[in-house]
């Protein structure tokens, strides 16, 4: 690969990292072409981009994005592929599903909303990570709950009050 081509790959990779905001670096070494293509197909079906890239090019792309990416440099050994997603936990869920079929891919690191997660032991935490939309939904639900309780209390209290007034009127 010529120097100009490498520069184009690095620029495109850095742009994807910025655009998606979430990416995973995985170890797919020792997998057959057929298995890699199967992973690519499943990534496509899950709206996850996947690229097999040399570690030196990944490092140069990481250097072009904002944020604390230094912890990711240490995992750039051996064969690496990068998964991109707009949903932070989608690649983790896919990796977990793929691991039921075999040992790979292994999570080297993930970068989710400016936070680095290093090591395969972080996979379960990433699977359980809620997306921004899920968090907003939870917050809205929590904010609505007290208001619903107040309205419900007022409505039931109003019915009781109306019943007491009616009883007093009948007696009176």
């Amino acid at each position: 690969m010529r120097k100009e081509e490498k520069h184009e790959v690095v620029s495109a990779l850095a742009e994807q990292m910025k655009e998606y905001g979430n990416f995973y670096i995985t170890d797919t070494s020792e997998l057959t072409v057929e298995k890699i293509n199967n992973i690519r197909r499943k990534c496509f079906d899950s709206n996850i981009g996947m690229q097999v890239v040399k570690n030196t090019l990944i490092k140069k792309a990481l250097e072009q994005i904002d944020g604390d990416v230094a912890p990711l440099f240490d995992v750039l050994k051996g064969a690496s592929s990068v998964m991109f997603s707009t949903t932070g936990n989608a690649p983790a869920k896919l990796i977990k599903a793929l691991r039921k079929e075999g040992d790979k891919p292994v999570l080297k690191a993930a970068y989710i909303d400016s936070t680095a997660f290093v090591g395969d032991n972080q996979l379960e935490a990433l699977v359980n990570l809620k997306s921004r939309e899920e968090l907003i939904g939870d917050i809205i639900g929590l904010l609505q709950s007290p208001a619903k309780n107040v309205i419900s209390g007022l409505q039931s209290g109003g019915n009781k009050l109306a019943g007491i007034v009616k009883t007093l009127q009948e007696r009176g």
Side-chain angles (χ1 to χ4, degrees):
M1 188 181 287
R2 294 178 304 144
K3 188 174 182 178
E4 294 162 352
E5 291 171 327
K6 287 180 183 179
H7 180 69
E8 288 175 21
V9 170
V10 168
S11 295
L13 191 58
E15 191 58 41
Q16 283 182 304
M17 289 175 174
K18 290 175 189 175
E19 179 184 334
Y20 284 98
N22 307 307
F23 58 90
Y24 286 57
I25 301 171
T26 61
D27 176 4
T28 52
S29 63
E30 302 171 12
L31 290 178
T32 64
V33 172
E34 181 183 343
K35 287 183 180 180
I36 292 282
N37 287 338
N38 182 39
I39 292 171
R40 285 181 196 269
R41 207 169 304 111
K42 289 181 179 182
C43 283
F44 180 80
D45 293 342
S46 301
N47 294 321
I48 299 169
M50 180 182 169
Q51 237 180 313
V52 177
V53 188
K54 290 187 173 198
N55 291 322
T56 53
L57 301 180
I58 295 172
K59 184 175 181 180
K60 288 181 181 185
L62 288 171
E63 290 169 346
Q64 292 184 16
I65 66 172
D66 296 331
D68 183 20
V69 294
L72 304 179
F73 294 149
D74 293 338
V75 302
L76 297 175
K77 298 175 180 95
S80 296
S81 56
V82 183
M83 293 179 167
F84 304 96
S85 176
T86 54
T87 306
N89 64 356
K93 289 179 179 180
L94 179 62
I95 291 169
K96 187 174 181 179
L98 290 168
R99 295 275 282 278
K100 291 177 182 174
E101 301 169 12
D103 296 343
K104 302 276 175 126
V106 173
L107 176 66
K108 290 182 174 185
Y111 191 75
I112 313 295
D113 291 326
S114 303
T115 304
F117 297 84
V118 178
D120 194 56
N121 59 341
Q122 298 291 319
L123 185 62
E124 198 60 39
L126 290 165
V127 167
N128 295 321
L129 194 64
K130 290 191 175 190
S131 70
R132 182 173 281 140
E133 291 78 18
E134 290 171 322
L135 289 173
I136 290 170
D138 287 352
I139 291 170
I140 290 171
L142 288 170
L143 292 173
Q144 286 179 341
S145 180
K148 286 180 181 178
N149 290 341
V150 169
I151 291 169
S152 175
L154 290 173
Q155 287 175 341
S156 67
N159 291 340
K160 289 179 186 174
L161 186 59
I164 292 170
V165 170
K166 185 178 179 182
T167 304
L168 290 173
Q169 287 175 341
E170 290 172 356
R171 288 186 188 166

